[in-house]
Amino acid sequence: MSLTLPIELFEQAKRTMVSQNENVLLSWVTELEEGSAKHIFDQASGAFKGERFFWQNKERTLRLSGLGAMDRLKVERGQDRFLALHTRKEQVLRQTVTNSEEMACGAVYFGGFSFDDEHDTSPEWEKFGEGFFYLPLFLVTEKDDRCYLSVNIWLSADDVYSKVEAVMAQWDKIAAAEVTADPEVACILEERLAEDTWLRAATDVVTLLQEAPDMQKVVLARRMRLGFDGFLSSSRMIAHMEEQQGNSYCFVLENGTSTFFGATPERLLLADEAKLESACVAGSIARGDTENADAILGSTLLNDAKNLAEHHFVVEMIKATMERFCEDVQVSANPVLLKNRDIQHLYMTVSGRRSEARMLDVLRALHPTPALGGWPQREAMTVIRLKEEMDRGFYGAPIGWIDPLDRGEFAVAIRSALAIDTNALLYAGCGIVADSVPAEELAETAIKFQPMLRVLGGKVHERT
């Protein structure tokens, strides 16, 4: 059934344009009688491939699909990336005429930040900059067993209602499109990059930590490369992540022929009108081949001094940060196990009552947590810049969405990969402490590669 954007809202937008003497973003939100964010994403592969995003929270109670870019923000070197997004969002809000303030609907920005804005950007990450976000033309929001469509259109003084009609006709074509399955591709190359270099760096960091008692932890990351006999499909990636990676956020961010995607278990910040919440995810161990073996591994993790210490750094840092911005901060009682298909972690939550805090200010203060950078934060980042030869890009950094009323959610982009044409770079890291054994830490990163290897069809060590 065709949808019609109300002419009354269009006329309101035109009147606002005259009174403000500037262009206006018309943001119309309507409930769809039926629909699926993932299905719409697939239907738009022809019209908007390379300009789409997908997001699913770990509880699977919220899914977002964005198609097309009404506004695009690429943060350049030297800019304050968190302030740049906040400023753009607020500017657009002042220019917006809308019929709804529904959370996660309307003029929502989706994207991510680089891990380290002081690191030189490598060629594969250049088009993403220090931050990359866009406001979609069409946004499908699936939540609370309901589905909403947001249509975002910039209007200028010369525009007439026929522009709106043309946009809605474009939506009708997408909604009516048949979904054709993208071809399967085979993984024909699997290359673990610079393992010897990484082992030497880990050994150096262990020595440094033993000689500098004020430093507790440094996270070192590495990557591997996969090659395929065809172009990777975002739709297939999403389907595989949904099927294989339960208890995880699922995200896809397309940018031309590059796509950043992942299935991460780690919330960095959830913000609504009244509350802020973060998660403390650190310490890890593999899953067992049997229920009994899995329970033994989980018990080992819950009682392992090294992993408990790593997790404690994260809890203390996040708690202290939240206390700067929130009232009545609450920390869950004890670590519990967060189990994913290939790996399990120690997990706790920290939440507080929101006051006047701006979401992106809190996000800036939280990133990077000790789980991805180390502790103390500043010193750990200095060591990472010295010892880690690669550019992490968006790996380990915040990715997510923010709506016009400063509500949103960001996860930490681990268990992630960057696909470019027929290749993919996978990223994984682990925390180095004074008593770390580099070879064991290397084996831990191999476990952390497995979720994306499984999604992409690379070689994995299957559990029975």
Side-chain angles (χ1 to χ4, degrees):
M1 187 175 101
S2 296
L3 296 175
T4 303
L5 191 152
I7 193 168
E8 296 84 0
L9 190 63
F10 172 80
E11 291 172 344
Q12 179 187 345
K14 294 288 282 187
R15 290 193 298 271
T16 302
M17 191 185 312
V18 171
S19 64
Q20 294 182 353
N21 195 30
E22 60 182 355
N23 292 347
V24 164
L25 181 75
L26 174 56
S27 183
W28 178 54
V29 181
T30 187
E31 187 169 353
L32 298 174
E33 293 182 3
E34 57 183 21
S36 156
K38 171 60 165 60
H39 189 67
I40 293 294
F41 184 95
D42 296 343
Q43 288 175 300
S45 62
F48 290 107
K49 189 173 184 177
E51 202 172 66
R52 296 178 296 174
F53 66 76
F54 182 85
W55 167 272
Q56 177 177 269
N57 66 2
K58 104 182 157 62
E59 297 82 9
R60 304 200 173 187
T61 57
L62 175 69
R63 294 177 178 87
L64 303 176
S65 285
L67 316 173
M70 273 293 95
D71 186 35
R72 188 185 300 260
L73 173 67
K74 178 187 174 187
V75 183
E76 301 293 347
R77 184 77 178 266
Q79 289 183 273
D80 183 324
R81 52 203 169 142
F82 297 98
L83 180 60
L85 177 58
H86 177 83
T87 301
R88 179 69 65 86
K89 177 185 73 72
E90 292 297 300
Q91 177 185 353
V92 169
L93 176 62
R94 288 193 298 271
Q95 295 176 256
T96 298
V97 172
T98 185
N99 66 321
S100 174
E101 294 183 352
E102 187 74 36
M103 187 171 176
C105 294
V108 171
Y109 279 87
F110 182 91
F113 297 98
S114 65
F115 179 79
D116 181 9
D117 61 354
E118 294 185 29
H119 195 288
D120 291 338
T121 302
S122 58
E124 67 268 19
W125 289 107
E126 281 181 354
K127 65 169 62 176
F128 290 88
E130 303 303 335
F132 180 81
F133 288 83
Y134 64 87
L135 165 71
L137 170 61
F138 300 117
L139 172 68
V140 177
T141 304
E142 196 179 336
K143 63 171 186 170
D144 303 326
D145 298 321
R146 302 170 79 173
C147 194
Y148 301 88
L149 169 67
S150 303
V151 182
N152 298 303
I153 311 171
W154 280 110
L155 296 176
S156 64
D158 296 332
D159 289 329
V160 294
Y161 187 72
S162 59
K163 178 176 182 176
V164 173
E165 292 177 317
V167 170
M168 297 311 300
Q170 190 176 17
W171 166 257
D172 290 340
K173 286 183 180 179
I174 293 169
E178 294 290 331
V179 175
T180 56
D182 292 325
E184 289 276 12
V185 298
C187 182
I188 57 176
L189 169 70
E190 186 173 316
E191 182 182 7
R192 299 180 183 273
L193 302 173
E195 286 189 348
D196 290 342
T197 301
W198 190 91
L199 281 169
R200 287 194 295 271
T203 301
D204 291 346
V205 171
V206 168
T207 301
L208 174 65
L209 293 172
Q210 290 171 345
E211 296 174 352
D214 290 341
M215 286 195 66
Q216 305 296 322
K217 174 184 176 183
V218 174
V219 177
L220 287 183
R222 67 188 190 96
R223 61 184 183 169
M224 65 182 300
R225 178 184 292 116
L226 302 183
F228 300 87
D229 62 359
F231 290 94
L232 291 164
S233 160
S234 293
S235 292
R236 286 195 179 275
M237 291 177 200
I238 295 168
H240 292 166
M241 287 190 287
E242 286 188 324
E243 177 187 358
Q244 301 167 6
Q245 303 300 324
N247 214 14
S248 297
Y249 292 86
C250 168
F251 64 86
V252 167
L253 176 62
E254 294 182 344
N255 185 359
T257 58
S258 298
T259 302
F260 183 55
F261 64 99
T264 173
E266 189 167 349
R267 168 182 290 155
L268 187 57
L269 185 64
L270 171 66
D272 61 20
E273 296 90 342
K275 182 180 178 182
L276 298 177
E277 182 174 312
S278 185
C280 311
V281 180
S284 59
I285 201 166
R287 299 295 305 274
D289 294 333
T290 66
E291 186 176 339
N292 185 57
D294 193 57
I296 291 172
L297 286 167
S299 178
T300 299
L301 180 60
L302 286 168
N303 292 281
D304 181 74
K306 173 184 177 292
N307 282 290
L308 288 169
E310 285 191 51
H311 189 256
H312 179 72
F313 299 147
V314 177
V315 174
E316 289 301 302
M317 181 268 190
I318 291 179
K319 177 175 178 287
T321 302
M322 295 287 274
E323 286 175 341
R324 289 169 49 194
F325 296 99
C326 298
E327 301 171 358
D328 191 27
V329 171
Q330 303 290 321
V331 181
S332 57
N334 294 297
V336 297
L337 295 173
L338 176 66
K339 293 178 180 282
N340 303 115
R341 178 167 181 171
D342 299 288
I343 193 168
Q344 48 191 322
H345 300 279
L346 299 173
Y347 175 84
M348 291 174 68
T349 61
V350 180
S351 61
R353 191 168 70 250
R354 187 173 184 175
S355 53
E356 300 300 316
R358 301 193 313 197
M359 183 181 184
L360 291 164
D361 288 342
V362 184
L363 203 69
R364 181 212 309 273
L366 286 170
H367 174 71
T369 72
L372 272 300
W375 193 254
Q377 185 187 76
R378 185 185 300 274
E379 290 82 354
M381 290 296 293
T382 299
V383 175
I384 290 170
R385 292 177 189 124
L386 289 171
K387 292 297 180 181
E388 206 173 86
E389 295 184 356
M390 70 175 191
D391 176 16
R392 292 190 187 187
F394 278 24
Y395 164 73
I399 188 162
W401 59 274
I402 185 168
D403 78 6
L405 299 185
D406 214 43
R407 304 165 299 194
E409 185 168 22
F410 281 79
V412 181
I414 56 175
R415 315 292 181 267
S416 58
L418 175 67
I420 305 174
D421 298 324
T422 60
N423 295 283
L425 290 168
L426 281 60
Y427 297 80
C430 61
I432 309 296
V433 296
D435 60 352
S436 287
V437 178
E440 293 177 358
E441 302 293 354
L442 184 71
E444 180 179 319
T445 61
I447 295 171
K448 292 176 177 177
F449 281 132
Q450 288 197 35
M452 289 302 101
L453 275 171
R454 196 185 300 279
V455 165
L456 292 171
K459 296 176 183 176
V460 295
H461 301 292
E462 290 283 0
R463 294 190 300 115
T464 56

